[in-house]
Structures are given as C-alpha cells and as structure tokens.
C-alpha cells in the first residue's frame, strides 16, 4: 500500500460504511423480490450479487496469511505476498479471469438464493458483521483475492464501487431516486476516473460529463 492509500484509509473505511448502509437501506425498500432487477437478474439476484461486495471482504481476509488484527501493527512481514497494488490494477485481472457473463449471472442467482426467506434482514446481518470486521482491521492487512493478494486499503475501493453502482441499479429497478452518499460517491468517481485514464478514455468521459459530447451505447471504463 502506498503512502496515499495509508493516508486515505480512514476516509476509505468511512466510504465503505456509507456504501454498505445505503445498500442495506435500499434493500429494505424491496417488496417484490422476483421483479426484474438488472439484465436477466431478478431483484433478489441483483441484491445477492451486490451482497458479495460485502462477503468477499470477509472471505478474502479470512483466507489471507495476515488476517484481521494480525496486521494491526503493520504489514511489513506480509508485504512480499502482495501482488496487486491498486484497485485500478485489480479490475482488468478480475474481468479477465472472473468476468465470464454466464458465471457472474450464476453467482448472482446463487447469492440471491442464499439470502433465504428474508433477504433484506440477511443483508443487514451481513453488513453489520463485515463493517465490524473492517472497523477492527488495519488498512495494511492482506486480502487473498482470486487474482492475487492485496492490502485491504487497496481492495476496499473496488467493494465501494460495486456497492455504489449496484445500489444505483437496485434503486433504478425500484423506481426510487438515487442519492449516493458523498463519501461513497467520491471514492467511486475517483476509481472510475482512474479506470478511464488507464483505458485511454479520459477525453471521452470528460467531454460527455461537461456537456460537450455523448457516450456511445455500451460505453464502459471496465
């Protein structure tokens, strides 16, 4: 984790808290879990997929050699294990190895089914548990992601981004206006800008965002 990530860790952790709570609050508005959600997903599937942005933090911390409080005094000893250095580095690796559409769709359906008879309640339970874990964990704790070990402060922005974007999706499916929490929006937009820069799409995004052009259908920085 670089010095910027260390300095930003309290703000990143707060952004994650805001994004998680916004997702919980939005899930509590659902009264028909089988209504269309996103693409081929029902709302239950979409919520299940979004809940993975919480569950992966818990799972990958649990699999790492320096999990939870073990890294509280610094991760110098575990630094050699870190392979992915930033959220921007994470996305192309994840999309290349984990982004098969059929697999993503299936995981979403499986995650939705796993939420059981009261999905909103289960989402709240998951969020409480994971937020407590993150509150007790140092930013330099190692997270064992499927594409390589990362430090938590570098991985968490990807989870904030996923929670924020998919809660916007969920609100759109429910016909409810999306007012993204400020800290979650800031981290998500920062990451989006960095991803656009990495792919050479900064000019397209800047021109569209300032009313000087429009983006083509299917435009994405991912």
């Amino acid at each position: 984790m670089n010095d910027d990530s260390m300095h930003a860790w309290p703000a990143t952790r707060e952004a994650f808290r805001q994004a998680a709570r916004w997702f919980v609050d939005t899930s509590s508005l659902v009264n028909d879990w089988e209504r269309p959600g996103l693409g081929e997903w029902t709302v239950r599937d979409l919520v299940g997929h979004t809940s993975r942005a919480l569950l992966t933090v818990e799972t990958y911390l649990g699999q790492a050699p320096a999990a939870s409080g073990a890294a509280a005094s610094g991760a110098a000893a575990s630094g050699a294990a870190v392979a992915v250095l930033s959220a921007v580095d994470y996305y192309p690796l994840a999309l290349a190895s984990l982004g098969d559409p059929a697999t993503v769709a299936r995981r979403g359906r499986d995650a939705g089914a796993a939420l059981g008879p009261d999905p909103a309640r289960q989402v709240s339970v998951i969020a409480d548990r994971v937020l407590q874990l993150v509150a007790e964990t140092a930013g330099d704790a190692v997270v064992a992601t499927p594409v390589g070990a990362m430090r938590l402060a570098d991985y968490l922005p990807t989870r904030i981004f996923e929670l924020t974007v998919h809660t916007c999706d969920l609100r759109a499916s429910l016909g409810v206006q999306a007012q993204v929490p400020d800290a979650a929006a800031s981290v998500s937009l920062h990451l989006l800008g960095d991803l656009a820069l990495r792919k050479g799409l900064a000019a397209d995004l800047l021109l569209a965002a300032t009313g000087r052009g429009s983006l083509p259908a299917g435009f994405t920085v991912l």
Side-chain angles (χ1 to χ4, degrees):
M1 181 172 56
N2 59 37
D3 290 342
D4 288 342
S5 296
M6 178 66 81
H7 180 73
W9 173 236
T12 301
R13 188 163 51 190
E14 171 60 16
F16 182 67
R17 187 194 68 80
Q18 289 186 15
R21 290 299 178 204
W22 191 47
F23 172 48
V24 170
D25 291 345
T26 303
S27 297
S28 72
L29 302 177
V30 179
N31 55 27
D32 179 2
W33 291 93
E34 303 312 314
R35 69 184 292 166
L38 176 68
E40 66 184 83
W41 279 335
T42 64
V43 163
R44 174 187 282 274
D45 301 335
L46 174 57
V47 170
H49 174 79
T50 309
S51 73
R52 286 176 46 79
L54 298 166
L55 290 169
T56 53
V57 175
E58 181 178 58
T59 300
Y60 299 162
L61 270 172
Q63 294 172 348
S68 302
S73 60
S78 61
V82 173
V84 184
L85 300 182
S86 72
V88 177
D89 292 331
Y90 169 86
Y91 268 100
L93 295 170
L95 289 171
S97 60
L98 306 171
D100 172 63
T103 302
V104 172
R106 176 182 53 77
R107 283 200 303 258
R109 289 191 295 270
D110 290 347
L115 294 175
D118 190 349
R121 170 61 181 162
Q122 187 60 22
V123 164
S124 181
V125 168
I126 291 169
D128 286 346
R129 188 174 71 230
V130 174
L131 287 173
Q132 183 65 33
L133 174 63
V134 170
E136 295 171 351
T137 304
D140 55 3
V142 175
V143 180
T145 84
V147 298
M150 301 179 68
R151 292 186 172 93
L152 181 59
D154 300 314
Y155 179 64
L156 213 59
T158 73
R159 305 302 88 193
I160 296 164
F161 187 79
E162 296 293 327
L163 283 166
T164 301
V165 170
H166 286 310
T167 302
C168 287
D169 289 331
L170 179 57
R171 287 200 164 236
S173 74
L174 299 175
V176 178
Q177 184 176 8
Q179 293 286 346
V180 183
D182 289 350
S186 179
V187 170
S188 298
L189 289 169
H190 189 159
L191 178 52
L192 185 148
D194 285 346
L195 288 167
L197 186 63
R198 170 71 66 90
K199 292 192 72 173
L201 297 172
D204 297 321
L205 192 59
L206 284 167
L207 290 171
T210 55
R212 290 164 169 80
S214 58
L215 295 174
F219 176 90
T220 178
V221 300
L222 298 179

